[in-house]
Amino acid sequence: MSKTFWAVIIAIIVVFGGIFWITGNKNSSTSSSSAKPSQHIEGQGSTGVTLVEYGDFECPYCGEFYPIVKQVEQQYDSQIHFQFRNLPLSSVHPNAFAGARAAEAASLQGKFWQMHDALYENQDPTGKTGWVASSDPLDQYFIGFAQQIGLNVTQFKTDFKSSKVNDTINADVTQFGKDYKAATGSFNAATDTATPTFFLDGKHIQPGYSAADFSKYIDPEIKAKTSH
């Protein structure tokens, strides 16, 4: 074959290689790369202690922990901060990401916690009825929740579908991996991603299903923070 033929082939490879490189870099630098994790915090936190829950609104275990965590929040309201971040396990919970979207959309109108509570209080633990089993949870359930908690529904629907909400959720998921690794020394997304996961002042804790079990971790942490 002639040198001209090979020159043309090389030119084509260079051109397409450049296109591939540009496209690949464009896709990797999405808006989510600069998004910040959510900052949903309750409690007065007088002792400087913070309890963080990474949760999935469709997760039945998170649903079981919900009233317990509420009790812990009430018990320690003046002493600690309680923070919630999104960790939707979409591979096993098809509506989990939609639930997180509803909560983050409500957050843009200052009512994250009201939607957070509505989602858990209307979660069917069997996963067979309600919003967790709906083929269209936005229209069939979330708009109703939005009306109940006093949101501007038009704005809620717009925010629900926005990239801003999507990016915040993804930023929470990314932050979970960082927090888990910082707490334990390693992180394997396939084996370590579970809900609910709790961190107390950056330490990974595994309390049982009672407020007393949380106290076993929280009380020593408060004592350590306030004794000097």
Side-chain angles (χ1 to χ4, degrees):
M1 296 183 184
S2 68
K3 292 182 179 179
T4 302
F5 172 83
W6 285 111
V8 170
I9 294 299
I10 291 171
I12 291 172
I13 291 171
V14 170
V15 169
F16 277 93
I19 291 173
F20 177 80
W21 184 86
I22 292 169
T23 302
N25 277 270
K26 181 179 180 182
N27 290 339
S28 65
S29 58
T30 60
S31 59
S32 62
S33 63
S34 61
K36 303 295 184 183
S38 64
Q39 296 295 329
H40 308 304
I41 300 173
E42 288 189 314
Q44 301 174 45
S46 63
T47 64
V49 172
T50 299
L51 174 67
V52 179
E53 175 187 359
Y54 278 89
D56 172 328
F57 289 107
E58 188 177 343
C59 169
Y61 302 109
C62 295
E64 290 180 27
F65 266 104
Y66 167 71
I68 298 166
V69 172
K70 276 287 188 183
Q71 185 179 344
V72 172
E73 287 184 69
Q74 293 169 1
Q75 180 178 343
Y76 291 96
D77 177 68
S78 65
Q79 296 173 287
I80 73 171
H81 283 133
F82 173 72
Q83 182 172 10
F84 182 93
R85 279 184 168 153
N86 301 286
L87 190 61
L89 306 182
S90 301
S91 62
V92 290
H93 300 142
N95 283 341
F97 207 96
R101 279 181 173 274
E104 291 303 326
S107 174
L108 295 178
Q109 295 187 49
K111 293 195 174 183
F112 171 83
W113 291 108
Q114 290 89 332
M115 183 61 79
H116 166 281
D117 292 356
L119 290 166
Y120 277 130
E121 289 168 7
N122 291 278
Q123 181 202 77
D124 170 27
T126 69
K128 296 178 181 178
T129 64
W131 73 264
V132 300
S134 173
S135 60
D136 185 5
L138 173 61
D139 286 338
Q140 294 178 357
Y141 291 94
F142 298 161
I143 289 174
F145 297 164
Q147 292 171 332
Q148 291 169 18
I149 66 177
L151 296 181
N152 178 317
V153 173
T154 300
Q155 186 62 45
F156 171 75
K157 289 165 67 177
T158 299
D159 291 336
F160 179 89
K161 300 175 182 178
S162 69
S163 59
K164 181 176 183 178
V165 159
N166 186 77
D167 291 348
T168 298
I169 297 166
N170 284 329
D172 278 4
V173 173
T174 298
Q175 188 62 43
F176 171 75
K178 295 177 181 178
D179 289 351
Y180 195 97
K181 185 174 182 178
T184 67
S186 64
F187 174 65
N188 184 322
T191 58
D192 298 330
T193 303
T195 54
T197 293
F198 295 98
F199 297 101
L200 184 66
D201 282 349
K203 295 181 282 290
H204 180 218
I205 64 171
Q206 296 178 288
Y209 287 90
S210 74
D213 276 336
F214 278 87
S215 294
K216 291 177 183 178
Y217 294 96
I218 294 173
D219 289 345
E221 189 69 14
I222 290 176
K223 184 177 180 180
K225 278 283 183 75
T226 57
S227 62
H228 50 75

